[in-house]
Amino acid sequence: MSLIERLTRATVCLHLAPHGLHGVLRRAGHPLPDSAFHLPIANPDASWEVALATLRGWLEHDGGKKLPLAVSLASRWCAMLMVPWSGALLDRTSAQRFLHSQFGAVYGEGARAWRLAADDAPYGTPRLACGIDAALLQGVQDAAAAQGRRCLSIEPIAGPAWRSIARGKPAAFALVEAGRLLLATSSGGRITALHSQSCAAAWGDELDRAWRRWNLRAPQLDAIEQVALIDLSGVPQANLHERFVPVAVADAAHLMREAAWA
């Protein structure tokens, strides 16, 4: 695809979460006015199968021009891990074996059913890796293909969240979704450490406690005075600790960018 085509062609950016499908149409890096939508999902068990069925139904009934898709997934369906450097990462086959051993040590046998990928951090440095159920990834790809759509990207929402604030070079950021929070530090334009856990609807105090508990294991966090906060929970909190600085976000889909620029 030429540069001009990339600049002029629109992309449908979607975010699939347990209780909703968010979407917005973007062109040349900007959301088009009045293109955003949100479909609630009745999904008490937070099953990705139920959410995937909603995505499939939306694709079947969407009257668009078969525009390409950029899809992000809720953090609860994406296991993330900082893995140590290994020469095995230089070869695709050995990299998969190495990543499965790392994720298996933390998440158990269930990790064998996940599709694993790591970022391209410099040689010799730890890498950020992600594991997503292979059936979920295949389901999204199949749903798009069945309607003649092309998936430009499928990734955890942490990726778009980070890219949306990376230019500000925050030393740390927090991402809060319904039932889940993620804390991460960054340096040199990359995520360097992270902590993820479940949280209640009243997540304000839990966010601060999670930061302080993480600080006990990583004393270097003492030097970080401000943490950029991206709130996708749908339940804003009052009286947050002053270290957390909210970043204005319309919704999860608005964090996405055309994959050509990701």
Side-chain angles (χ1 to χ4, degrees), residues 67-118:
L67 295 172
L69 309 176
V71 183
S72 67
L73 302 174
S75 293
R76 71 176 300 127
W77 299 325
C78 306
M80 304 190 73
L81 195 64
M82 295 300 303
V83 299
W85 168 256
S86 168
L89 292 168
L90 298 176
D91 175 79
R92 178 176 297 182
T93 301
S94 61
Q96 282 296 298
R97 288 197 298 267
F98 174 72
L99 292 174
H100 272 107
S101 70
Q102 294 292 312
F103 275 81
V106 175
Y107 296 102
E109 286 296 309
R112 292 184 179 277
W114 298 348
R115 189 86 57 82
L116 304 177

Side-chain angles (χ1 to χ4, degrees), residues 109-167:
E109 286 296 309
R112 292 184 179 277
W114 298 348
R115 189 86 57 82
L116 304 177
D119 70 4
D120 58 349
Y123 183 94
T125 61
R127 294 193 171 186
L128 177 64
C130 177
I132 302 174
D133 193 304
L136 169 57
L137 283 180
Q138 191 63 53
V140 173
Q141 293 169 338
D142 291 347
Q147 303 305 319
R149 302 272 194 152
R150 186 161 59 102
C151 269
L152 301 176
S153 62
I154 305 173
E155 61 180 324
I157 187 59
W162 164 238
R163 290 195 297 273
S164 73
I165 60 174
R167 290 184 179 180

Side-chain angles (χ1 to χ4, degrees), residues 188-261:
R190 293 185 178 276
I191 293 175
T192 54
L194 56 82
H195 166 80
S196 179
Q197 67 174 69
S198 59
C199 66
W203 51 265
D205 290 338
E206 181 55 33
L207 179 62
D208 186 48
R209 288 196 297 270
W211 178 265
R212 288 188 279 110
R213 286 195 300 269
W214 195 25
N215 197 171
L216 293 176
R217 305 193 304 273
Q220 65 271 24
L221 298 182
D222 278 336
I224 298 176
E225 296 181 355
Q226 291 190 333
V227 179
L229 171 62
I230 299 174
D231 175 17
L232 302 178
S233 70
V235 188
Q237 304 289 294
N239 303 317
L240 287 170
H241 192 283
E242 61 184 8
R243 74 164 55 87
F244 299 105
V245 181
V247 176
V249 176
D251 63 44
H254 281 77
L255 293 174
M256 302 291 291
R257 298 291 187 269
E258 292 89 343
W261 307 115

